[in-house]
Amino acid sequence: MALVAWTGSAPLSGHCHMVFTPDGWIAGLLSEGAVDEVARGSYVPVPQDGSPVAVDVTFVGDAAVLTLPDGTRSAVRDPRFAAGTGCIAVWEFYRHVATSAEVSFSETWAG
């Protein structure tokens, strides 16, 4: 799944495109209609039994602070995060390839 913040106008742009897979994350931004990857990392794989897990992204200055499904935290720095250009939050049922894990949401919020 991906947590996204975008400007709401074309071309697609915004300061947040954070992807969470069963065992890793990809931090990115939206620029001129494409995803610009900033960093990636991994975490303890989440169960694939439908059990809910939680993730969170908080922006502090030029840092995106990620709370990962295994309870660990990671921070990624990029000056473009500080711009806060994305004013519309969306949640994407992101699948990197057709065989990627299925996604469902039980709760979502933005603020």
Side-chain angles (χ1 to χ4, degrees):
M1 55 85 74
L3 302 177
V4 183
W6 69 297
T7 60
S9 60
L12 191 62
S13 62
H15 72 286
C16 177
H17 190 277
M18 303 296 173
V19 173
F20 298 93
T21 71
D23 62 358
W25 55 268
I26 305 168
L29 302 113
L30 299 169
S31 178
E32 301 297 321
V35 176
D36 184 9
E37 184 178 317
V38 175
R40 61 174 55 212
S42 60
Y43 41 78
V44 175
V46 299
Q48 295 299 292
D49 61 2
S51 298
V53 296
V55 298
D56 184 69
V57 179
T58 303
F59 293 94
V60 181
D62 69 348
V65 180
L66 312 174
T67 302
L68 305 170
D70 65 0
T72 61
R73 293 179 67 170
S74 187
V76 180
R77 294 193 175 281
D78 188 292
R80 297 171 292 176
F81 290 142
T85 56
C87 59
I88 299 171
V90 295
W91 299 265
E92 180 181 348
F93 291 93
Y94 179 90
R95 293 178 78 178
H96 197 62
V97 295
T99 57
S100 294
E102 293 188 22
V103 176
S104 65
F105 291 96
S106 59
E107 292 181 62
T108 60
W109 64 93

